[in-house]
Amino acid sequence: MEGPRACPTPVKPAVVRVRDYRRETHDTFTLVLDPPATGGAAFRPGQFNMLYVFGVGEAPISLSGDPGEGGGWVHTIRAVGAVTRALARLRPGDVLGLRGPYGSSWPLENARGRDVVLVSGGIGLAPLRPVLYHLRRHRAEYGKIALLYGARSPADALYLDELRAWRAAGELQVLLTVDRGDPSWTESLGLVTALFDRADFAPDRAVGLICGPEIMMRFTQREFAKRGVADERLYVSLERNMHCAVGFCGHCQLGPSFVCMDGPVFRYDRIRTFFEIREA
Amino acid sequence: MTEPRAANPLFLPKSRLDDLIGQLAAAGFEVVGPRLEQQAIVYGPIRSASDLPIGWTDLQGPGSYRLQRRGDEAYFGYVVGPHSWKKYLFPPTLTLWHARRTGDTFTIEESNDEPPRRALLGVRGCELHAIAVQDRVFLNRAGQFTDPFYAKARQRLFLIAVECETAGGTCFCTSMGTGPQIDDPLDAHSAPRRGRHAYDLALTELDDGFVVRVGSAAGQDLVARLGLAAAAPEQIAEGRRRVAAAAQAMGRWLDTTDLRQLLHRNQEHPRWDAVADRCLSCTNCTMVCPTCFCSSVADVTDLSLENAQRVRKWDSCFNPEFAKVHGGDFRPSIRARYRQWLTHKFASWYDQFDVSGCVGCGRCITWCPVGIDVTEEINAIRAADGQRRLD
Ligand SMILES: Cc1cc2nc3c(=O)[nH]c(=O)nc-3n(C[C@H](O)[C@H](O)[C@H](O)COP(=O)(O)OP(=O)(O)OC[C@H]3O[C@@H](n4cnc5c(N)ncnc54)[C@H](O)[C@@H]3O)c2cc1C
Ligand code: SF4
Ligand code: SF4
């Protein structure tokens, strides 16, 4: 995990324009934004922005685009409540407020030369997609790469065309599963943890990156542990209530950590004690 | 607030306290200090010494607060009330910015709320430490983030500390190393884990006046304008004796040995269930605490929908919405909320800020409607260290 970097706008958002809107699934969409004039578009995979819809409110949303592209900022968002539904109504040319990027990032440096296993559930794939772009761009620097992704149903699965194209190109192993299939679904059925037996990686040199519902992350950690991947080589991205994203508002605390600034990406052994306490 | 001067203490006769207040006002400071309001001593504007709660004291116990006449005419003969100075640096409600629609876009202007230059009159030892604790939260946080309003308001403060000579029924500053005596800033390194602190002037009250210590260049300028004489050795000794007597009479005691580790390792202690049975999750303790810093923002618009603003308000880890995200609540039980508050204050705070989050002022004990006492809760956990709830 790499630490946060300085942000010039601790409380005041910049106003940015929507460059592109894409519907992903029945409840999930992607916005491509013009980066703010100041600061450029640089971010590290795992970081997030605070997106503000005029008069409605603000929500933390991960960057889910290609970190090496230098183009727009890409956010894939599931419409679940007031702010995310308002974000879903934005179209190219519309404006919104943005501050960031905030938070820690996935350990791309430490993972160099190792096998990388990415395990994600639902919208949890969005914060991991920048890692996949990075790994593909620097393919020779890494060992085996496996993506294990679970969604509720085929209609809920994100980025399917892109993932299948990457699989077809032979650059990484892509294992997909859904809780409930349909006649068109030819991939696995069941929990994401059931994909582990088919994942191709060497436990002694693997790094695991996990993002999804907390219950899924707990079971995923156990699968890694069973295969001998130590907690020191596992990373999780956590979600908490966030109002400020700069460690002032207090909402995101988990034991000694402020998830917004010490996370959202944590090396598992460093957050384990508190992550495993119920209602911590 | 800059370089402390190690000058000899001076003497300010009570009859001249108004001159000091007048000098501060003339220098452009809004002077605020203790006032009697609605049967409590709270902080508000002070125009002259007659605004002070002269001759009053406060009797405090768990869940109880009562004012009583003293037998003398002491100006600062009380302990601390429900207000803390944090309201001036971290206001209960603050507009952070305004947004306005213009054509097909909108603009955002940072709020230009300008905090005045303020002189705080009557800052206790625990309160000086509390300000130093919040400095660590809001200024240059992790080398990156500074709260702009806090920084401005803080820079404009003139701090007049007054040592406690009456110990409160719920105080435990001696346990936390924050009072009642106010250390010379030159000696501040003697309490390295409890936060730096500095004052402009520190007063020790005697029957007829105050022994005055100077802690900054601004303080030096002010006393120079007043032309004060040096305090006599007997006056200095009498002040020391009174403050030492308060230390002896402290209402509560907390054993802070390994406190951080003690609480971290007792997250499943049955005492959390016992306290949850009494706690109403009313948030009082967090509102009165001089170091609690949690807040929420609300984004609001006017009726035309053309103007929006973001308003920040104090929040509390006891509020049901506090740890909710879409699809769940990380701390649904009162047990977990109380544990969060206590373990944050007395344990995680050390991890986060290298200082205790509690300065021992006793407010949370006094203002808890059911009289929950943090020292008693912690002592109970220590007495049964390692016990786990059944489940
Ligand atoms: C670091 C991080 C990265 C994330 N990345 C993504 C992502 O890439 N894509 C994605 O779809 N989701 C992401 N999320 C989740 C996303 O932030 C939430 O789904 C979103 O905040 C829901 O907000 P809402 O208003 O639409 O939903 P609501 O259901 O209306 O609100 C959700 C809950 O949040 C609480 N809440 C939080 N902030 C406020 C506030 N300011 N005012 C009032 N209530 C508040 C409310 O109590 C409510 O229970 C991320 C979350 C975090 C912490
Ligand atoms: S926790 Fe209680 S005693 Fe400690 S500083 Fe806060 S209000 Fe005062
Ligand atoms: S401890 Fe007391 S003051 Fe604090 S929330 Fe519970 S009942 Fe209220």
Side-chain angles (χ1 to χ4, degrees):
Chain A
M1 190 193 66
E2 287 135 39
R5 55 158 223 171
C7 167
T9 57
V11 293
K12 191 184 98 164
V15 177
V16 299
R17 238 170 240 287
V18 177
R19 194 182 286 180
D20 196 12
Y21 165 93
R22 199 165 49 240
R23 193 185 147 108
E24 300 284 356
T25 72
H26 61 101
D27 63 358
T28 303
F29 58 98
T30 293
L31 295 177
V32 183
L33 309 175
D34 285 338
T38 55
F43 73 93
R44 295 197 314 261
Q47 291 194 299
F48 65 96
N49 281 326
M50 296 296 282
L51 301 186
Y52 166 72
V53 183
F54 186 88
V56 180
E58 214 179 28
I61 304 289
S62 304
L63 285 137
S64 58
D66 185 343
E69 195 176 60
W73 269 353
V74 179
H75 289 288
T76 294
I77 305 162
R78 192 152 86 92
V80 296
V83 176
T84 47
R85 285 200 195 105
L87 286 165
R89 289 192 289 271
L90 298 175
R91 290 297 176 274
D94 288 346
V95 289
L96 72 159
L98 179 152
R99 53 194 184 96
Y102 293 120
S104 63
S105 53
W106 300 105
L108 297 176
E109 288 301 315
N110 298 351
R112 213 177 278 167
R114 295 179 177 274
D115 291 357
V116 185
V117 186
L118 301 90
V119 188
S120 62
I123 189 75
L125 184 52
L128 277 170
R129 193 167 66 154
V131 176
L132 291 167
Y133 285 119
H134 175 92
L135 294 175
R136 290 181 62 244
R137 213 176 260 277
H138 304 272
R139 187 65 193 85
E141 295 170 25
Y142 296 89
K144 291 172 177 167
I145 301 171
L147 169 69
L148 287 59
Y149 176 46
R152 267 176 302 181
S153 75
D156 290 300
L158 287 175
Y159 314 135
L160 277 183
D161 293 346
E162 196 175 32
L163 297 179
R164 284 173 172 149
W166 292 343
R167 171 158 63 192
E171 291 169 335
L172 58 148
Q173 185 186 24
V174 176
L175 298 171
L176 305 173
T177 186
V178 294
D179 299 343
R180 281 173 285 103
D182 65 22
S184 71
W185 186 253
T186 56
E187 319 249 357
S188 305
L189 288 176
L191 298 175
V192 74
T193 43
L195 298 173
F196 263 86
D197 284 339
R198 287 162 46 214
D200 183 20
F201 65 92
D204 58 328
R205 44 174 267 167
V207 171
L209 313 183
I210 316 169
C211 186
E214 289 209 352
I215 176 92
M216 166 261 174
M217 296 201 280
R218 287 173 213 279
F219 282 109
T220 300
Q221 181 271 336
R222 282 187 216 168
E223 291 301 321
F224 275 118
K226 264 193 246 166
R227 287 164 178 77
V229 183
D231 289 348
E232 290 74 15
R233 281 185 281 123
L234 296 181
Y235 295 79
V236 294
S237 179
L238 302 186
E239 177 181 356
R240 285 293 181 278
N241 185 315
M242 289 179 190
H243 282 243
C244 75
V246 295
F248 292 156
C249 80
H251 287 257
C252 71
Q253 288 178 83
L254 175 58
S257 301
F258 288 86
V259 173
C260 69
M261 56 190 300
D262 303 322
V265 178
F266 292 94
R267 205 173 87 177
Y268 189 71
D269 61 308
R270 297 196 176 135
I271 195 75
R272 180 174 53 208
T273 310
F274 291 92
F275 187 70
E276 291 179 355
I277 292 169
R278 229 194 303 151
E279 287 192 59
Chain B
M1 274 175 286
T2 52
E3 273 303 288
R5 310 264 174 96
N8 289 329
L10 305 169
F11 186 73
L12 175 74
K14 281 196 171 163
S15 58
R16 297 207 57 207
L17 185 58
D18 277 340
D19 291 346
L20 182 140
I21 295 170
Q23 285 287 350
L24 286 165
F29 285 102
E30 175 188 305
V31 183
V32 291
R35 302 166 53 92
L36 271 183
E37 259 171 48
Q38 298 182 2
Q39 320 210 25
I41 293 169
V42 298
Y43 298 143
I46 298 292
R47 274 165 215 93
S48 74
S50 63
D51 289 333
L52 299 172
I54 297 172
W56 289 93
T57 194
D58 43 9
L59 297 182
Q60 304 195 33
S64 89
Y65 177 94
R66 195 156 54 77
L67 292 183
Q68 197 184 53
R69 276 248 162 242
R70 293 173 61 98
D72 61 19
E73 294 297 300
Y75 283 22
F76 297 92
Y78 60 93
V79 187
V80 289
H83 286 192
S84 73
W85 306 103
K86 83 174 175 185
K87 68 176 182 173
Y88 295 119
L89 295 165
F90 169 53
T93 302
L94 182 71
T95 300
L96 298 180
W97 47 255
H98 302 265
R100 198 145 59 88
R101 262 193 203 292
T102 48
D104 71 343
T105 182
F106 62 87
T107 53
I108 299 182
E109 297 290 333
E110 229 151 314
S111 163
N112 45 13
D113 279 355
E114 284 291 323
R117 298 177 72 204
R118 273 204 188 91
L120 313 187
L121 172 61
V123 184
R124 302 306 197 178
C126 61
E127 297 183 311
L128 275 182
H129 280 84
I131 293 170
V133 167
Q134 284 211 331
D135 284 352
R136 292 181 183 221
V137 177
F138 289 119
L139 300 177
N140 195 27
R141 180 67 175 286
Q144 306 187 82
F145 303 120
T146 288
D147 179 291
F149 184 93
Y150 186 96
K152 271 191 222 161
R154 179 73 176 91
Q155 217 208 330
R156 295 172 189 180
L157 283 190
F158 188 94
L159 291 166
I160 306 166
V162 178
E163 289 180 304
C164 280
E165 295 172 17
T166 305
T170 55
C171 300
F172 51 106
C173 62
T174 45
S175 310
M176 304 315 290
T178 61
Q181 82 289 346
I182 289 167
D183 295 327
D184 215 302
L186 294 172
D187 304 326
H189 60 268
S190 62
R193 290 188 61 83
R194 303 190 196 280
R196 287 167 298 119
H197 57 278
Y199 53 78
D200 294 289
L201 298 177
L203 274 47
T204 312
E205 184 169 0
L206 306 181
D207 291 342
D208 53 350
F210 302 92
V211 175
V212 180
R213 282 177 291 152
V214 175
S216 73
Q220 183 60 49
D221 288 350
L222 189 80
V223 293
R225 264 175 277 147
L226 291 170
L228 302 181
E234 314 78 76
Q235 291 173 315
I236 297 169
E238 172 61 8
R240 294 287 106 227
R241 197 195 55 71
R242 291 179 177 209
V243 176
Q248 287 303 313
M250 204 51 53
R252 290 200 150 38
W253 173 252
L254 178 69
D255 178 359
T256 59
T257 320
D258 283 341
L259 193 47
R260 176 180 156 273
Q261 296 88 333
L262 174 81
L263 292 178
H264 278 331
R265 72 172 172 260
N266 281 290
Q267 299 270 344
E268 304 295 350
H269 200 279
R271 189 72 188 189
W272 304 118
D273 295 275
V275 71
D277 285 343
R278 289 170 285 143
C279 173
L280 311 173
S281 209
C282 72
T283 80
N284 271 15
C285 48
T286 51
M287 297 293 110
V288 295
C289 179
T291 66
C292 271
F293 59 83
C294 288
S295 66
S296 286
V297 292
D299 289 293
V300 294
T301 45
D302 67 4
L303 287 176
S304 72
L305 304 180
E306 297 296 305
N307 297 295
Q309 30 180 305
R310 173 161 301 159
V311 181
R312 185 186 75 186
K313 289 188 156 70
W314 287 358
D315 200 352
S316 166
C317 52
F318 284 97
N319 273 329
E321 293 298 312
F322 191 81
K324 270 190 193 159
V325 293
H326 173 78
D329 182 353
F330 285 103
R331 283 185 219 108
S333 72
I334 292 182
R335 168 183 178 271
R337 292 183 199 153
Y338 188 87
R339 182 180 65 185
Q340 169 60 22
W341 135 256
L342 201 81
T343 58
H344 184 215
K345 214 73 324 191
F346 292 88
S348 310
W349 216 291
Y350 287 107
D351 300 297
Q352 296 170 347
F353 303 107
D354 202 23
V355 69
S356 166
C358 174
V359 297
C361 73
R363 285 182 179 88
C364 58
I365 306 172
T366 299
W367 297 96
C368 174
V370 293
I372 293 171
D373 174 346
V374 287
T375 64
E376 189 183 317
E377 296 310 315
I378 293 171
N379 290 338
I381 287 171
R382 190 183 291 282
D385 187 4
Q387 236 181 58
R388 291 176 69 87
R389 72 199 299 222
L390 309 165
D391 84 345

